[in-house]
Amino acid sequence: MPRIPSPAIAAAGLVGGYAVARWTKKRPLGGVVLAAAGAISAREWQQVAGGKAAAALTGVYVAAFAGSHPLAKKVGAWPAVFGVAGAMAGASWVVTRSKG
């Protein structure tokens, strides 16, 4: 089975978590999507780049989620979510590109 790259999983978790929360009107359900994608990404980061890189990228993932909230007040919800998802994917790619 082909492996889905961790940058795509992380970005999809941020976008998908927000989309599920918004469209179902159940924030905890969006949190489940966000957490599941984060856990899958963290496992991939650990396998590809090691524990320190996985911990750092997990911190970036959480910061991206948290940072999207104040950013949304300035640029709107969807632009903020897509912006932080793109930044997260970029960070993940930079850290894992030469290792996996």
Side-chain angles (χ1 to χ4, degrees):
M1 179 192 302
R3 184 171 107 1
I4 299 171
S6 58
I9 296 169
L14 290 162
V15 173
Y18 175 69
V20 167
R22 180 169 180 152
W23 291 326
T24 65
K25 301 197 185 317
K26 295 183 189 248
R27 293 179 76 183
L29 189 55
V32 169
V33 172
L34 180 78
I40 292 166
S41 296
R43 188 186 70 215
E44 288 289 318
W45 294 327
Q46 197 279 329
Q47 290 174 351
V48 171
K52 287 182 183 179
L57 286 169
T58 300
V60 172
Y61 187 76
V62 171
F65 167 69
S68 69
H69 292 81
L71 184 59
K73 292 179 182 180
K74 296 182 187 287
V75 300
W78 281 111
V81 170
F82 285 125
V84 299
M88 181 68 242
S92 178
W93 180 78
V94 165
V95 172
T96 62
R97 70 179 171 190
S98 65
K99 296 174 175 87

